Amino acid sequence: MAGDCRSLRSGSPAAPTITHRTTPVTTQIARTNGSSPTPAEAVFDFDVAIIGAGTAGMSAYREASQYTDSIALIDGGPLGTTCARVGCMPSKLLIAAAEAAHAGSKAPQFGVRYGEPSIDGKAVMSRVRSERDRFVGFVEQAVLGFEKGEVIREYARFEDDHTLRLSSGRKITARSIVIATGSRPSIPQELFSAGERLIVNDDVFNWTDLPGSVAVFGAGVIGLELGQALHRLGVRVRLFARNDNVGPLTDPLVREYAANAFSAEFSAIWHAKTRITREGEGVIVRWGDEPEQQERFDYLIAATGRAPNLDRIGLENTTLRRSVTGVPEYDPLSGRAGQSHIFIAGDAAPDLPLLHEAADEGRLAGENAARFPHSYRRARRAPIGIVFSDPQIAIVGLSYAALMARSERAFVTGEVSFEDQGRARVMGNNKGLLRVYAEHKTGLFLGAEMVGPSAEHIAHLLAWTIQTGMTVEQILQMPFYHPVLEEGVRTAFRTAHHALGFAPNPPMRCIDCGPGA
């Protein structure tokens, strides 16, 4: 939550300013192409101004404070980060409750039987809100406990490349500025037909009880996680997607497998043209042509993505070049916008809207802003993305779509199904497909897409492997215990090894690695 970005529902008044330092600083800076002319020596209120106190803004502050104590951290919205308040943590709290409710459903295959779960919706949501507030409190304490610089509880807008006007009317200037204004839910216009029964995923975590039914629009990370969790908690759910999207998956075989796995558990339409009308205390969703189908729900949840909070911070008053989407053109390896003294990080730069990426970008932007004009590019970590559905989804390194988009499509694929994988069958958790991609000329491991058991853990192993620059042959020299799920990973790389022409295809269900490995 950051910048001049109020909530979807209404704005909130600015809180009093908490001042730690107000002494202007005199700084030697050089002229930079793309920014407004600056004298060789200029007096600024701060060395660094950071707009936004979310994950990226806090990381930028901590990094910049290693070089200067002349920092302004500006945020007029609620503190607590998107992750702690409405993202990673409350969603995982809801998923944990759903997993507890679902735990007994697989027991009959082992000869064990439980009764139907009794779900107390008020108790479920009470724990979600209580633990959510606890996580948010930790973040608030961290921000208000910053010792250096100045924490300004106001909104900010650019007046020019070096000047920010606060919501109180006060102006401040800074030698360099970090934009870390976060994001907010993005809602297609047609969903507003639901009126007051339309909510965004952020609103779910303020519920005091579970509703009877919801229509979830969007099958991205948020839609999949919320839709499945609510279904397992006894809510009647139907998921509506477009273009056959299933989470972030781009590999058509993995995507198809995932769609079938989720459809077997709860109602999902992966490519739907819908018509929405408000009716009484509910909403009617119609879809299909011949015959048209319809269903009534208590709420419509828009899980249709997020948009960067850049439209209310006065970027039009700067000299920054912006893309058609309004995002300043910037270098993701430095965070620097053009050749200016302005940097961008976190969800405001919507390439990788993930907490660990926001933290990395914040540190990078904070260091470069504090050391400006001595700003440098840094190598980024191997990309990793995880969906906490069941089965879980993971994408590591280069996705299938990214590899297909390259001019040289010289890569091979290896794969494994977890349906017959030994350890997966033992646990009764044998749904899944892993596909790995390797460079044809060198055998270098490039990326993977997966739906299946323990994907959150396998994804980390694969990401570390990519970051160390290992080839398929080197990976196959690593130790694999028996019986473990990771043997399935070995099978995928063995089939890739064969596709590279380095070895014969592994025999199916070979004895040294267990069934299917």
Side-chain angles (χ1 to χ4, degrees), residues 15-300:
T17 299
I18 303 171
T19 303
H20 298 297
R21 176 187 175 118
T22 56
T23 306
V25 292
T26 302
T27 309
Q28 291 281 346
I29 68 171
R31 289 175 179 264
T32 57
N33 295 329
S35 63
S36 54
T38 306
E41 183 176 293
V43 177
F44 297 106
D45 298 315
F46 298 95
D47 278 344
V48 180
I50 302 167
I51 313 175
T55 298
M58 292 173 66
S59 295
Y61 180 95
R62 292 190 183 101
E63 195 67 25
S65 66
Q66 297 185 46
Y67 302 93
T68 177
D69 62 358
S70 177
I71 310 171
L73 182 62
I74 310 166
D75 197 321
L79 300 177
T81 78
T82 297
C83 174
R85 188 177 291 279
V86 296
C88 328
M89 303 315 293
S91 66
K92 302 312 170 285
L93 287 163
L94 194 69
I95 290 170
E99 289 174 343
H102 189 68
S105 66
K106 296 181 180 179
Q109 66 182 306
F110 302 107
V112 179
R113 287 176 174 78
Y114 296 93
E116 288 295 318
S118 176
I119 298 169
D120 183 341
K122 291 183 179 179
V124 168
M125 296 313 302
S126 176
R127 181 175 187 268
V128 169
R129 295 195 317 277
S130 175
E131 289 296 308
R132 182 271 314 271
D133 292 346
R134 185 168 175 267
F135 291 128
V136 169
F138 292 151
V139 179
E140 291 175 338
Q141 291 173 19
V143 173
L144 298 178
F146 286 155
E147 294 181 356
K148 297 182 179 181
E150 179 176 317
V151 178
I152 302 175
R153 298 291 285 117
E154 299 187 50
Y155 296 103
R157 289 178 58 86
F158 282 94
E159 289 223 333
D160 58 46
D161 285 5
H162 286 280
T163 306
L164 298 171
R165 181 180 289 276
L166 306 178
S167 49
S168 64
R170 172 188 170 194
K171 289 184 182 181
I172 62 170
T173 58
R175 176 172 56 85
S176 57
I177 298 173
V178 176
I179 301 172
T181 45
S183 64
R184 64 181 183 272
S186 176
I187 306 175
Q189 188 62 40
E190 58 266 27
L191 300 189
F192 285 99
S193 300
E196 293 181 357
R197 310 313 286 182
L198 169 66
I199 62 174
V200 295
N201 51 280
D202 295 12
D203 299 323
V204 169
F205 308 118
N206 287 321
W207 282 346
T208 57
D209 198 354
L210 292 169
S213 59
V214 295
V216 178
F217 275 68
V221 175
I222 298 170
L224 277 181
E225 290 184 349
L226 283 183
Q228 186 177 48
L230 291 173
H231 162 74
R232 291 184 169 186
L233 289 168
V235 179
R236 176 169 56 84
V237 173
R238 189 179 290 275
L239 180 72
F240 294 92
R242 286 187 176 178
N243 304 318
D244 296 308
N245 291 329
V246 184
L249 293 170
T250 69
D251 187 310
L253 295 183
V254 183
R255 186 170 56 201
E256 181 181 12
Y257 190 103
N260 290 335
F262 294 124
S263 294
E265 181 181 343
F266 59 91
S267 299
I269 301 175
W270 302 106
H271 184 69
K273 292 183 178 180
T274 57
R275 291 162 293 286
I276 300 161
T277 55
R278 172 73 184 275
E279 184 177 285
E281 293 301 308
V283 58
I284 302 294
V285 180
R286 295 178 174 85
W287 69 94
D289 296 318
E290 296 180 1
E292 182 180 75
Q293 300 182 64
Q294 70 175 45
E295 196 168 353
R296 187 183 188 280
F297 302 94
D298 294 331
Y299 291 100
L300 188 158

